[in-house]
Amino acid sequence: MEISTVAGPASVRISRQPDARFLLLLTHGAGGGVDSADLRAAATAAASLGGKVALVLQPYRVAGGRAPGSASRQDAAWLEIVAALRRRHPGLPVAQ
């Protein structure tokens, strides 16, 4: 799915976890992506505990950038992403 933010669209992949107990939001480091070994391991661990996982590709990476730019703009985008996912999954505790 795509989430619009002040920094542009973010791309989010959400695992299918019926009867999830929580939603874990994971994102990458600067220049990275959501398919790194550490994020895959965290996603697998969360799923084994009954969690649904949202892997978030930050807007600057969606746009093809290698560096995040303004920290305040990236923080604002992250807060918008969290709010959108909370609205989409009401009732699930969100860990980020």
Side-chain angles (χ1 to χ4, degrees):
M1 74 181 281
E2 192 171 278
I3 296 175
S4 295
T5 75
V6 295
S11 177
V12 182
R13 288 192 327 230
I14 301 175
S15 65
R16 289 183 169 85
Q17 181 77 347
D19 303 320
R21 296 178 19 213
F22 63 92
L23 175 63
L24 176 63
L25 281 56
L26 297 173
T27 193
H28 52 83
V34 294
D35 292 318
S36 63
D38 58 342
L39 292 184
R40 285 194 317 265
T44 299
S48 74
L49 297 171
K52 182 178 282 203
V53 178
L55 295 170
V56 180
L57 188 63
Q58 295 286 338
Y60 75 92
R61 293 293 291 152
V62 172
R66 299 272 310 149
S70 164
S72 61
R73 187 172 168 99
Q74 186 176 7
D75 288 348
W78 181 251
L79 293 176
E80 289 179 293
I81 293 163
V82 171
L85 290 169
R86 282 187 169 160
R87 284 190 303 272
R88 185 174 173 93
H89 301 280
L92 277 183
V94 175
Q96 45 178 319

